[in-house]
C-alpha cells in the first residue's frame, strides 16, 4: 500500500532524509510504502570480499553450488 499520510511521515521523519527529499516532510515526491511480510529469507555471508571471491571461484571450478554462508527461512 502506498500512502502520503502526513502524520505518519511526520512520525517517521529524520533530518538525514533531506539528502533524498530536499524540501523536507512536505516534499511532493515523498510517500510511504507499507509491506505486509509473510515470509523472509536471509544470508549471513563473510564480510571479506576475498573470502567471497574464493568461494565463488571454487564453485565455478568444481561445478558445485556456491554456499555463501548461513541461510535461513523465517515464517512470520
Amino acid at each position: 500500500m502506498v500512502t502520503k499520510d502526513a502524520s505518519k511521515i511526520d512520525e517517521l521523519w529524520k533530518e538525514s532524509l533531506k539528502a533524498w527529499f530536499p524540501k523536507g516532510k512536505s516534499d511532493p515526491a515523498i510517500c510511504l510504502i507499507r509491506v505486509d511480510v509473510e515470509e523472509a529469507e536471509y544470508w549471513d555471508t563473510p564480510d571479506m570480499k576475498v573470502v567471497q571471491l574464493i568461494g565463488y571461484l571454487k564453485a565455478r571450478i568444481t561445478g558445485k553450488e556456491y554456499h555463501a554462508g548461513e541461510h535461513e527461512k523465517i515464517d512470520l
Side-chain angles (χ1 to χ4, degrees):
M1 177 175 82
V2 177
T3 181
K4 290 188 174 253
D5 180 342
S7 63
K8 192 65 172 176
I9 291 170
D10 188 54
E11 176 188 333
L12 298 171
W13 182 257
K14 294 181 178 135
E15 283 301 308
S16 60
L17 295 172
K18 276 196 166 187
W20 292 274
F21 304 102
K23 296 177 184 172
K25 297 180 226 179
S26 60
D27 193 315
I30 197 169
C31 66
L32 300 171
I33 301 172
R34 177 181 168 165
V35 178
D36 295 319
V37 179
E38 296 175 10
E39 183 179 284
E41 291 187 55
Y42 73 88
W43 288 263
D44 186 11
T45 61
D47 289 336
M48 296 180 55
K49 297 291 181 197
V50 173
V51 174
Q52 293 175 12
L53 177 61
I54 291 170
Y56 170 79
L57 292 173
K58 181 179 174 184
R60 292 293 304 213
I61 292 168
T62 64
K64 295 181 181 176
E65 186 178 345
Y66 173 55
H67 296 283
E70 183 181 340
H71 171 248
E72 191 70 36
K73 286 187 178 184
I74 303 167
D75 291 321
L76 304 172

